[in-house]
Amino acid sequence: MEEIRIIELEEQVTAGVRQIARMDDLTTLFDAKFAEVAQALQASGVTPAGAPYARYRGRPSETVDVEIGFPVAEAFAATGDLVVDALPAVRAVETFHVGSYDKLHETYERVDSWIAEHQLQTLEDMWEVYESGPESDPDPATWRTRILLPLTGPQVEKAP
């Protein structure tokens, strides 16, 4: 079981596309949009500065407002549907999910319990970073997703 902890995040410039989608359609959407964003970056002469991410604007329900893209080294003039934005500098709860995406909800349930137990409050936005996945290895046991939930409310002590 992966550790849950509080960390400080620095701002990260990103380039991606934003869309409202049904949760059931995310896998197909991610496959298409990550490829689309990668092509748009290449056409702009920009190289991703890390693993792909999905930023959820509000907690997912049946549908979700999701931004899909890659971190980039610096802002640039985007074209088409591509939006240059940034993941904010915040204090956040971090954990990792190792395994297939169909078990992600179990990790979120564990994180939500940990947050409640520690009497923390999170912002509406949250994001996942796909450090490894189907594109790097077809074996779901090796997939690694970094989960980040920004904190708000009363100041909390940083975990050791």
Side-chain angles (χ1 to χ4, degrees):
M1 189 172 294
E2 295 291 327
E3 174 187 14
I4 300 172
R5 63 190 184 129
I6 297 172
I7 63 166
E8 298 288 337
L9 293 170
E10 294 183 15
E11 182 178 79
Q12 174 63 64
V13 179
T14 59
V17 292
R18 189 170 171 186
Q19 184 168 334
I20 296 186
R22 291 184 40 77
M23 288 295 290
D24 296 346
D25 298 334
L26 282 186
T27 300
T28 305
L29 180 69
F30 282 0
D31 290 345
K33 294 301 177 182
F34 284 135
E36 179 183 310
V37 172
Q39 289 172 352
L41 289 176
Q42 184 177 22
S44 297
V46 176
T47 303
Y53 74 93
R55 180 179 187 175
Y56 299 94
R57 308 261 185 175
R59 282 300 192 110
S61 57
E62 254 185 62
T63 61
V64 63
D65 181 351
V66 63
E67 176 185 314
I68 302 162
F70 293 89
V72 293
E74 58 188 39
F76 64 98
T79 59
D81 292 338
L82 200 62
V83 175
V84 176
D85 197 357
L87 298 173
V90 293
R91 181 170 284 175
V93 172
E94 173 194 61
T95 195
F96 292 87
H97 171 79
V98 178
S100 69
Y101 300 138
D102 64 349
K103 300 287 185 183
L104 264 170
H105 70 279
E106 294 173 8
T107 301
Y108 274 102
E109 288 169 4
R110 196 167 49 83
V111 170
D112 287 342
S113 293
W114 189 90
I115 288 170
E117 177 185 322
H118 290 83
Q119 300 177 5
L120 301 173
Q121 297 173 0
T122 59
L123 295 172
E124 288 295 312
D125 282 12
M126 56 188 236
W127 52 93
E128 299 170 347
V129 178
Y130 306 102
E131 294 183 348
S132 61
E135 70 288 339
S136 60
D137 188 340
D139 180 6
T142 67
W143 300 354
R144 183 174 164 93
T145 305
R146 183 179 184 205
I147 297 170
L148 298 153
L149 291 97
L151 294 171
T152 186
Q155 292 297 312
V156 292
E157 291 299 318
K158 190 173 178 181

